[in-house]
Amino acid sequence: MSLTKTTTVDQITVTENGIVLYREATRIMEDGNEISKTFHRTSLTPGQDLTGQPANVVAICNAAWTTEVIDAYNAQVAAAQAAQTPGA
């Protein structure tokens, strides 16, 4: 009996405002047959530090996060925060 564990990014999505969502699938295999699979989802906001992220996710982020996308996202966040501030 041989057990192996693999983790791969199996989905990457870029939303309208530049947020990158990705899913990692962790598979436990026994003698070549999948006996367990779990998922972990992560979201990254434009301009976020990408240290430690999978290489294929970093490549998508670098392509999607133009200066314009990062600036628009930061403006959207600032506007949302200003709308929530009492007396604004």
Side-chain angles (χ1 to χ4, degrees), residues 63-83:
W65 293 350
T66 63
T67 302
E68 294 81 15
V69 168
I70 293 170
D71 291 346
Y73 178 80
N74 289 336
Q76 179 184 19
V77 169
Q81 289 173 344

Side-chain angles (χ1 to χ4, degrees), residues 30-47:
E30 178 180 16
D31 298 326
N33 298 311
E34 182 177 278
I35 60 172
S36 174
K37 179 169 40 176
T38 58
F39 298 105
H40 176 77
R41 289 174 173 79
T42 303
S43 62
L44 303 168
T45 57

Side-chain angles (χ1 to χ4, degrees), residues 6-57:
T6 60
T7 301
T8 57
V9 174
D10 69 341
Q11 288 183 358
I12 303 173
T13 304
V14 180
T15 65
E16 182 178 7
N17 62 354
I19 293 174
V20 174
L21 310 165
Y22 72 94
R23 181 177 81 174
E24 290 180 301
T26 301
R27 294 176 176 86
I28 306 296
M29 308 291 284
E30 178 180 16
D31 298 326
N33 298 311
E34 182 177 278
I35 60 172
S36 174
K37 179 169 40 176
T38 58
F39 298 105
H40 176 77
R41 289 174 173 79
T42 303
S43 62
L44 303 168
T45 57
Q48 182 175 336
D49 179 22
L50 298 174
T51 302
Q53 300 300 330
N56 54 344
V57 174

